[in-house]
Amino acid sequence: MDDRLVDLETRIAFQEQGIQDLEAVILRQQKEIEALTRRLEAAEQRLRAVTPSNLADLSEETPPPHY
């Protein structure tokens, strides 16, 4: 009985350590995702500023010939 208890305590200790390790990985990945999201948004803004749109604004559009 005593050996089984020690075995269970050992397993729980390893599981707790594994959970802590996984939490650290998840936290690091979340920070990386947030940083990459910010970089992507900044890149999209720069791209929009540099690349002119081929679509004219609705106020600049001339009506079609059948009007």
Side-chain angles (χ1 to χ4, degrees):
M1 177 72 170
D2 205 28
D3 291 338
R4 290 183 58 194
L5 186 57
V6 169
D7 184 48
L8 289 173
E9 289 174 344
T10 304
R11 288 181 186 199
I12 289 172
F14 279 115
Q15 287 178 350
E16 287 175 348
Q17 183 61 46
I19 289 170
Q20 289 175 357
D21 293 345
L22 289 173
E23 287 176 350
V25 169
I26 290 169
L27 181 62
R28 189 177 71 243
Q29 287 178 340
Q30 183 61 38
K31 288 180 180 180
E32 187 173 345
I33 288 169
E34 290 169 356
L36 290 170
T37 300
R38 286 191 301 273
R39 288 179 61 190
L40 178 60
E41 289 170 353
E44 287 174 341
Q45 289 176 355
R46 285 193 308 269
L47 184 61
R48 282 190 202 103
V50 172
T51 307
S53 175
N54 291 335
L55 301 176
D57 190 78
L58 287 178
S59 63
E60 298 173 5
E61 282 286 331
T62 56
H66 61 277
Y67 271 7

